Amino acid sequence: MEGAQGQLYDSMEPKAQGNPVMKKLLLILNCILLSIGNCGGPLIMRLYFIHGGKRVWLSSWLETGGFPVILLPLAFVYFQRRATQGPGTELFFMKPPLFLAAAFIGIVTGLDDYLYAYGVARLPVSTSSLIIASQLAFTAGFAFLLVKQKFTSYSINAVFLLTVGAAVLALHTSNDRPEGESNKEYLAGFFMTLGASALYGFLLPLVELTYKKSKQEMTYSLVMEIQMVMSFFATLFCTVGMLINKDFQAIPREAKTFGLGETKYYVVMVWSAIIWQTFFLGAIGVIFCASSLLSAVIIAVLLPVTEILAVIFYKEKFQAEKGVALALSLWGFVSFFYGEMKHNKKKKQTPEEEMSQIPGP
């Protein structure tokens, strides 16, 4: 029994350079979490606005307000630790310098949440998702500056294509403007979403830099602690906005007039908070297991899925410029992954294989 508990504990506590098999499993788990949040988050947020929701600060709050759910896996890991190490085991691993760094990133995340929620309130999901695809370009740039990310011709090509795809949308911004919305409001939503894309493109490499500069040994438990602190301060930032905007007083009134009914209003709120938490935990988990650039690529790769779901569930228009932007995005994804496959294949070659590929005199 003790051996089984130890294995379970070890599976939740891989070091940054630990068991490669377990790290791959963690990467897959975080990719799944990121996929759920990346596709479900925008759709459920848009559902709120389509059926009469108007509170941008409330939507921003919900993006990180589900952070208490992280206490469940943290408690599980703690009791496993306690079973193997005794009652003297530490409750939390995080030290003050890392706490302060996570708090700062959390406040900036709160600002990013507001920018994104404002954009989703004004734009169809298919449009906002395509704009968010430009995040890969911002992540690539900041990853190069902050963590010295190395690029290949394929990754540079992918970044270029995704940027061009977002530019194509910018040239035809008013064709899918929701009914009753002014051109000024639509443009504000477009540029707010672009700003959210740029800011989150900065945050992903910043999280990776925090991992690298930390004087603590990084474990997945510590990653979850970081996510909880980040989400707490992001939620605190949005709580201030809600208090100023008097959103808390407006919630009961808004629930009564919600298009799907009062009960479903609160159901949407709860699931929105949970789904968005899977996104953020998945994103920083992928950074822990791989890199910030891979996290941004996965977010971008899921673009077609979000596009198709928005067209199916919300009957959104899918004009020619969206098709062009989507094609450019897919081309960029294929380019990036092909380059990664070639790079990994080259890394696995033995010195003898590399010598055999060198042409003779």
Side-chain angles (χ1 to χ4, degrees):
M1 184 67 179
E2 288 182 3
Q5 287 181 332
Q7 288 176 358
L8 188 57
Y9 163 71
D10 290 339
S11 71
M12 291 298 291
E13 289 296 317
K15 307 296 187 288
Q17 303 298 326
N19 188 330
V21 175
M22 193 52 63
K23 200 161 187 180
K24 285 181 181 178
L25 290 175
L26 262 181
L27 179 59
I28 292 170
L29 172 63
N30 283 283
C31 286
I32 292 171
L33 290 173
L34 182 55
S35 300
I36 293 170
N38 194 64
C39 295
L43 291 171
I44 198 165
M45 181 180 284
R46 186 62 184 163
L47 181 69
Y48 164 77
F49 288 113
I50 286 175
H51 291 284
K54 298 183 184 300
R55 299 287 160 174
V56 175
W57 276 112
L58 172 60
S59 295
S60 310
W61 189 94
L62 290 170
E63 288 183 60
T64 52
F67 70 88
V69 300
I70 299 177
L71 289 171
L72 296 176
L74 280 175
F76 173 79
V77 175
Y78 168 73
F79 286 117
Q80 289 297 321
R81 236 179 14 247
R82 185 183 173 92
T84 56
Q85 298 177 5
T89 185
E90 289 182 286
L91 183 60
F92 293 106
F93 288 126
M94 188 179 295
K95 305 300 182 190
L98 191 56
F99 176 86
L100 292 174
F104 171 76
I105 295 172
I107 292 170
V108 179
T109 299
L111 173 60
D112 185 69
D113 289 344
Y114 177 78
L115 295 175
Y116 180 75
Y118 188 96
V120 172
R122 301 288 185 269
L123 304 175
V125 173
S126 52
T127 302
S128 62
S129 296
L130 281 168
I131 298 170
I132 288 295
S134 65
Q135 172 187 302
L136 181 55
F138 293 113
T139 302
F142 286 118
F144 175 76
L145 294 172
L146 295 177
V147 295
K148 311 302 180 187
Q149 175 74 47
K150 293 181 180 179
F151 291 93
T152 65
S153 58
Y154 297 101
S155 57
I156 292 171
N157 183 53
V159 169
F160 173 75
L161 289 169
L162 284 162
T163 305
V164 172
V168 168
L169 275 180
L171 296 175
H172 299 81
T173 53
S174 60
N175 288 355
D176 64 345
R177 187 171 68 243
E179 188 177 345
E181 188 172 289
S182 69
N183 193 51
K184 182 179 179 182
E185 289 175 325
Y186 185 93
L187 287 173
F190 183 93
F191 288 110
M192 284 288 220
T193 306
L194 190 61
S197 177
L199 189 55
Y200 201 65
F202 167 70
L203 284 170
L204 289 177
L206 186 61
V207 170
E208 185 175 358
L209 181 66
T210 302
Y211 290 169
K212 289 186 174 182
K213 295 294 184 182
S214 172
K215 295 180 180 179
Q216 294 185 239
E217 188 173 29
M218 293 302 300
T219 65
Y220 194 64
S221 287
L222 187 54
V223 168
M224 289 192 288
E225 289 179 22
I226 291 170
Q227 171 58 22
M228 191 171 68
V229 172
M230 285 169 51
S231 293
F232 173 79
F233 280 94
T235 305
L236 190 63
F237 178 89
C238 294
T239 300
V240 174
M242 286 183 68
L243 288 170
I244 295 172
N245 203 44
K246 297 182 179 179
D247 280 7
F248 287 107
Q249 296 94 315
I251 289 174
R253 296 195 304 270
E254 193 172 70
K256 290 178 181 177
T257 59
F258 191 61
L260 297 176
E262 186 173 357
T263 301
K264 289 185 178 178
Y265 176 86
Y266 293 108
V267 171
V268 168
M269 296 294 102
V270 172
W271 276 106
S272 182
I274 293 172
I275 290 172
W276 275 118
Q277 201 55 221
T278 66
F279 169 81
F280 285 106
L281 183 57
I284 72 165
V286 170
I287 295 172
F288 168 73
C289 297
S291 68
S292 57
L293 186 60
L294 178 60
S295 186
V297 167
I298 292 171
I299 291 170
V301 165
L302 293 165
L303 164 67
V305 180
T306 309
E307 284 277 331
I308 293 167
L309 290 173
V311 171
I312 292 172
F313 291 117
Y314 299 148
K315 311 298 180 186
E316 293 183 358
K317 298 175 183 177
F318 198 85
Q319 301 98 328
E321 62 270 13
K322 287 186 183 180
V324 172
L326 184 57
L328 289 170
S329 298
L330 291 172
W331 184 7
F333 304 151
V334 171
S335 175
F336 182 89
F337 282 113
Y338 179 72
E340 285 297 297
M341 287 172 61
K342 285 193 69 174
H343 178 67
N344 290 334
K345 187 177 179 181
K346 188 175 180 181
K347 281 173 67 178
K348 291 178 181 178
Q349 284 181 335
T350 63
E352 291 79 8
E353 289 174 326
E354 290 178 353
M355 289 295 293
S356 66
Q357 292 178 7
I358 299 174

